[in-house]
Amino acid sequence: MPLIVLMEDDAATRTLVSSVLRKDGYEVLSADNGLTGLELVRQHKPDLVISDVQMPTMDGFAMLQALRGDPSIMATPVVLLTSLQERAHMRIGMTSGADDYITKPFRPGELREAASAQLNKRNMQAALQTMAVEAAVQAALEDQKHHLARLYEKKLASELSEKWPAADGASEDERFSNATVLFVDVLNYASLAEKLSSAELSDVVRQFYNNAGDTVHLFGARHMQFVGEGLLVVFVDSTDTSSVNHGLRAARAALGLLDSAKRVQKFLNHHFPAHGLPRFDVSVALNSGPVALAKLEDPLRGGMQVLPVGDTVSATLLLQKQAHRANWQIAASVAMLRGVTGAVNIGGRALVSLPGRTAALDAAELLGLALQS
């Protein structure tokens, strides 16, 4: 049964709206001001909020601003109730993040239609999103695996040489005012290396990074490179998948990487059942902000290499280490989550202290794509 939180200071209107909604099968919690209503939203995580604009203590606009600023509830759809003389405020409400509005006095049918439209829209978006992700990941694994395998093996061999390029070519750097950086690292790598031969470990690493490379390439990665046993990926909006923002594509890729790790675990169970291996797990960090792709000349091997640089990149690497200690499989900075409002579900949130940095990073655990229960 969908849950709706109603905020309305007029008792008669509050009773009318509650009665109409309950008759249609919705569960309704009501409050007579925005502050109390906001606390109900935080406690109960409703499917929809219906709020009057003019209320004591906290009006509808202030409530809406606070709701959109809270990552745990920011994706909740909001319908505002406005009187005829407040029509000038409609534009303010919509630009502040409201999903719809109803003008008082309204008919019960208008209320039903507005509530149904928001709930149906959420259901449809979640269903389409899930279908698209599942189909895309499967297509990537089937159609692109062989095409990309040689590229990833070459990158892996290059990173293992641990030879840093010389600094030059700054004039050719690519700079992005906002990009999403993904860093995934293999947990228990040292334990795997201790129990497997170099040839066996190479097969395991190749199993994961072939699949991982397919996944991030599918979701429009602008740049990929290996950092030790980890993979660093940059997503920007200047790709052929610009219809979906870089943050959401990075989130989808991160979830795909967890699936890739599960496939590698099945591979280990099948090929090395008697080795007593630790579980094959990965942890992922996501962060958004300015990123530069520095083009550097390599005097040892010739040609140019690309190195992602900037505070966003370094913070992502540090966040992955700290998130693993917090048992978060996918950690995402709040800066990244603001770009995917309503599209993902998050768990715990914390100010994460990063070694060598004076300020903590506001981050949360990314659990999955937003689905309507």
Side-chain angles (χ1 to χ4, degrees), residues 178 240 272 327:
N178 192 26
D240 58 3
F272 308 106
N327 293 320

Side-chain angles (χ1 to χ4, degrees), residues 37-356:
L38 185 62
E39 287 306 311
L40 288 177
V41 175
R42 287 173 172 150
Q43 292 175 21
H44 299 280
K45 305 296 190 295
D47 301 286
L48 176 64
V49 170
I50 298 177
S51 174
D52 190 18
V53 171
Q54 297 295 335
M55 294 183 292
T57 310
M58 175 183 281
D59 67 18
F61 294 145
M63 180 281 300
L64 179 59
Q65 183 179 16
L67 184 148
R68 293 296 183 230
D70 187 336
S72 66
I73 56 173
M74 60 169 54
T76 310
V78 176
V79 176
L80 293 179
L81 305 178
T82 65
S83 63
L84 286 173
Q85 60 265 34
E86 294 166 351
R87 293 182 66 88
H89 293 163
M90 294 177 189
R91 184 182 300 275
I92 299 175
M94 299 305 289
T95 58
S96 298
D99 297 276
D100 199 357
Y101 65 88
I102 306 174
T103 302
K104 298 178 183 179
F106 53 84
R107 299 186 303 275
E110 291 180 89
L111 178 65
R112 293 190 180 98
E113 290 176 2
S116 177
Q118 291 304 316
L119 294 171
N120 289 340
K121 181 174 71 174
R122 206 173 186 189
N123 283 333
M124 181 62 70
Q125 288 174 340
L128 292 175
Q129 196 172 63
T130 301
M131 292 173 58
V133 171
E134 291 177 352
V137 170
Q138 289 301 318
L141 294 175
E142 294 298 327
D143 299 337
Q144 299 183 20
K145 181 175 181 179
H146 298 296
H147 174 71
L148 297 173
R150 289 190 297 273
L151 172 63
Y152 304 135
E153 291 173 13
K154 182 178 179 181
K155 286 179 175 288
L156 177 60
S158 175
E159 288 299 328
L160 290 177
S161 68
E162 297 183 353
K163 295 178 180 178
W164 290 91
D168 198 4
S171 61
E172 300 179 17
D173 292 353
E174 292 184 87
R175 295 179 175 84
F176 302 97
S177 60
N178 192 26
T180 296
V181 178
L182 179 155
F183 181 64
V184 57
D185 200 13
V186 177
L187 305 178
N188 301 318
Y189 183 85
S191 297
L192 289 169
E194 183 180 16
K195 295 178 181 292
L196 296 174
S197 69
S198 58
E200 291 169 336
L201 183 61
S202 177
D203 285 341
V204 173
V205 171
R206 186 177 295 108
Q207 282 284 328
F208 176 66
Y209 282 115
N210 279 353
N211 287 334
D214 288 342
T215 300
V216 297
H217 183 272
L218 166 72
F219 289 114
R222 177 63 180 80
H223 176 76
M224 297 178 286
Q225 74 175 70
F226 289 93
V227 179
E229 296 85 40
L231 180 65
L232 181 69
V233 188
V234 178
F235 294 85
V236 301
D237 278 339
S238 58
T239 68
D240 58 3
T241 55
S242 58
S243 58
V244 179
N245 75 58
H246 53 78
L248 183 54
R249 286 187 282 111
R252 291 176 174 178
L255 294 167
L257 293 175
L258 299 189
D259 290 336
S260 296
K262 292 177 183 177
R263 285 190 287 272
V264 173
Q265 182 61 47
K266 292 181 180 178
F267 174 84
L268 293 176
N269 293 341
H270 179 72
H271 289 84
F272 308 106
H275 281 59
L277 298 176
R279 182 170 182 81
F280 187 92
D281 281 323
V282 298
S283 66
V284 187
L286 298 166
N287 188 22
S288 293
V291 174
L293 297 180
K295 295 185 178 180
L296 310 173
E297 183 179 353
D298 185 348
L300 296 178
R301 288 165 290 192
M304 301 291 291
Q305 291 194 12
V306 176
L307 181 67
V309 295
D311 182 65
T312 303
V313 177
S314 61
T316 307
L317 299 176
L318 294 172
L319 176 61
Q320 182 273 322
K321 300 298 182 187
Q322 299 303 102
H324 168 49
R325 295 186 177 94
N327 293 320
W328 292 356
Q329 284 191 294
I330 304 176
S333 69
V334 169
M336 177 269 171
L337 291 171
R338 289 195 183 104
V340 294
T341 301
V344 298
N345 288 327
I346 62 173
R349 179 176 175 181
L351 289 174
V352 180
S353 297
L354 303 181

